[in-house]
Amino acid sequence: MLWVIGITVPATTLVLVLAQNFTTSEQSLERKIEHRHAVSAPQFRREMSVLLGPTIVGGNQVTALQNGDEIFPAMLRAIRSAQTSVTFETFIYWSGEIGEEFSQALSERARAGVAVSVIVDWVGSMKMEQSLLDAMEVAGVELHRYRPLNWYNLGRMNNRTHRKLLVVDGRIGFTGGVGIADQWKGDGGDPGHWRETHFRIEGPVVAQLQAAFNDNWIKTTGRVLRGESYFPALPDAGDMDAHMFVASPAGGSESMHLMYLLAIAAAASTIDLAAAYFVPDTLLIEALIAARGRDVRVRILLPGPHIDSQTVKIASKSEWGGLLEAGAEFHVYQPTMLHVKMLVIDSEFVSVGSTNFDIRSIRLNDEASLNVYDRDFAAQMTAAFEADLLMAEPYAYARWKNRSLGQRLTETILIPIKSQL
């Protein structure tokens, strides 16, 4: 009998520890947020500032970079120009040409005496050769893998950092959807090269990007990066209002959920959503349907035949019916994998960053999003969205209604694990 207890107690303990990976310690939002004011109303900005954390600051310049041909040269130029510090956090970092190029650029700056601090997610960097890690560390890069496999991490193994943050000298920042891997190279014009948007940022909001990096640096090392090398005085660089906020199961896990719900509830005329992974929860679906009830045009752009996760594609489609029936427009991108993450509302508000429109990003990942409040920038992003629509096929309600029995059964089977996809 004792030997049974000896086996059962450790096994039960392990199951309970692993079960922590599928929950957060915080209460979740349970009720939909009603439409009370528009995105253009001062009250919207006030609430977004105080409810999400960092206040909205003016004087910024945000530049959209399209696909690897624009994204990687801009990031590498910034790294190579660094004089005092580089902070870099990413989910995907794989071996290959672009991985080698980043390793060399970061290593060269470290050898030149620049403080280079790097966080790569342990799961997201599994395809990274040890030689790349070794080369950077030998050069003086302080590199840490986020939540590697250890006994003391078992309860948090499912909590990954999905943030994409690069800050150079505390003055130039980058965020968006790009990973450090060869499939992001090129112009996004064929299945081997993904469609992506990333953003270069200057102005006071860069300090908030640096604070977002610091959030996980402290969790990983127990140390805080501070001083003028990381937080210099930042003059105005443009006239855009923006703020950067983070979400994590360790604290503020509902921030991203709340942001989406507040923004959608404020929409008065248009919602344009590009989502690499679209697995929303019931509240988000209801919010979009409620927007259609206010006669808001809702356009949703998703990956088509090319996607890196077939389970996400299947699970996603089960949620389309109510939205299609309510009049939401679905468009599926044809040339390659669409990895863009962008929300544009009422030609005034734009949210970009690492966050997917799915339960995993909202509840389980560490994420970071940049919200920009600027009509000219929103017009640019709407134009980019509509250019992508030209490369997409509309998906009608009748097509969804007539999908095969096999598809429907598979969707049903995946329902219990939707939050993990």
Side-chain angles (χ1 to χ4, degrees):
M1 187 65 171
L2 289 176
W3 70 268
V4 174
I5 295 173
I7 294 173
T8 303
V9 171
T12 303
T13 302
L14 179 61
V15 169
L16 290 173
V17 169
L18 292 175
Q20 295 176 31
N21 283 279
F22 304 99
T23 63
T24 66
S25 59
E26 300 179 345
Q27 288 290 333
S28 300
L29 291 167
E30 295 179 352
R31 299 189 180 189
K32 69 179 182 180
I33 295 174
E34 302 293 340
H35 174 75
R36 292 187 178 177
H37 42 257
V39 164
S40 57
Q43 184 65 23
F44 176 72
R45 295 195 185 196
R46 278 195 290 270
E47 291 183 1
M48 294 293 266
S49 279
V50 299
L51 291 174
L52 300 183
T55 190
I56 299 169
V57 293
N60 305 291
Q61 179 62 42
V62 182
T63 304
L65 305 169
Q66 305 296 345
N67 301 315
D69 281 350
E70 293 184 5
I71 296 167
F72 290 136
M75 293 176 72
L76 288 165
R77 271 195 307 272
I79 292 170
R80 290 165 181 152
S81 74
Q83 299 299 306
T84 61
S85 69
V86 176
T87 54
F88 182 43
E89 180 174 356
T90 189
F91 177 65
I92 293 291
Y93 195 140
W94 294 347
S95 294
E97 291 181 10
I98 201 64
E100 181 67 36
E101 201 166 352
F102 269 79
S103 175
Q104 291 176 3
L106 293 164
S107 297
E108 188 278 326
R109 285 293 80 198
R111 285 192 296 269
V114 174
V116 181
S117 307
V118 176
I119 300 171
V120 295
D121 187 78
W122 178 73
V123 171
S125 63
M126 281 186 173
K127 296 182 182 179
M128 187 182 191
E129 293 176 7
Q130 187 64 38
S131 60
L132 283 181
L133 295 165
D134 294 343
M136 285 191 277
E137 290 179 333
V138 167
V141 174
E142 185 172 358
L143 188 150
H144 297 272
R145 279 180 150 167
Y146 190 71
R147 294 216 164 100
L149 180 60
N150 284 306
W151 67 267
Y152 54 81
N153 266 341
L154 290 178
R156 307 296 303 191
M157 282 302 300
N158 204 22
N159 169 210
R160 311 313 318 168
T161 179
H162 195 246
R163 297 172 186 171
K164 283 89 173 177
L165 300 167
L166 170 64
V167 181
V168 174
D169 294 339
R171 298 180 182 277
I172 302 171
F174 293 83
T175 194
V178 84
I180 309 305
D182 286 351
Q183 65 259 47
W184 274 279
K185 291 174 63 180
D187 63 359
D190 63 80
H193 301 92
W194 290 6
R195 170 74 183 97
E196 187 62 274
T197 306
H198 215 66
F199 300 86
R200 185 183 188 275
I201 306 148
E202 292 181 277
V205 79
V206 173
Q208 295 179 4
L209 271 75
Q210 191 75 286
F213 176 86
N214 236 330
D215 177 59
N216 274 345
W217 187 255
I218 294 167
K219 291 177 191 173
T220 304
T221 69
R223 293 180 282 113
V224 61
L225 301 175
R226 53 194 289 265
E228 291 189 10
S229 293
Y230 300 98
F231 293 99
L234 293 173
D236 289 355
D239 56 6
M240 298 181 186
D241 295 340
H243 63 156
M244 183 87 182
F245 68 99
V246 299
S248 167
S253 65
E254 280 300 310
S255 295
M256 207 62 68
H257 199 198
L258 182 60
M259 185 277 290
Y260 279 133
L261 291 169
L262 286 170
I264 293 168
S269 58
T270 60
I271 295 172
D272 289 333
L273 173 67
Y277 309 102
F278 183 82
V279 190
D281 70 349
T282 301
L283 279 181
L284 288 169
I285 294 169
E286 289 177 351
L288 290 168
I289 291 173
R292 283 296 305 135
R294 300 191 302 273
D295 203 29
V296 174
R297 184 191 68 194
V298 177
R299 299 187 293 186
I300 300 171
L301 178 64
L302 304 175
H306 306 286
I307 187 168
D308 65 331
S309 175
Q310 289 298 320
T311 53
V312 168
K313 183 177 182 178
I314 294 165
S316 170
K317 199 160 287 184
S318 67
E319 308 292 357
W320 296 10
L323 288 162
L324 284 163
E325 197 170 17
E329 301 175 30
F330 277 74
H331 303 263
V332 290
Y333 194 72
Q334 297 299 305
T336 186
M337 168 66 183
L338 177 86
H339 201 256
V340 177
K341 310 156 197 306
M342 181 171 67
L343 176 66
V344 185
I345 294 182
D346 290 357
S347 303
E348 180 149 349
F349 168 85
V350 182
S351 185
V352 297
S354 62
T355 311
N356 294 310
F357 205 79
D358 64 6
I359 302 169
R360 165 166 280 282
S361 274
I362 289 168
R363 295 275 166 77
L364 296 175
N365 287 343
D366 288 7
E367 301 284 5
S369 280
L370 177 73
N371 291 348
V372 183
Y373 305 77
D374 185 86
R375 295 191 70 82
D376 289 341
F377 184 69
Q380 294 173 30
M381 295 302 94
T382 299
F385 182 88
E386 291 181 342
D388 285 338
L389 285 187
L390 296 176
M391 308 297 289
E393 289 184 357
Y395 191 100
Y397 178 67
R399 181 177 173 187
W400 180 86
K401 192 80 171 173
N402 292 327
R403 67 200 192 285
S404 70
L405 179 60
Q407 281 185 297
R408 293 167 190 255
L409 288 173
T410 309
E411 291 165 12
T412 303
I413 291 168
L414 290 175
I415 286 174
I417 61 167
K418 274 173 40 176
S419 66
Q420 310 306 309
L421 300 176

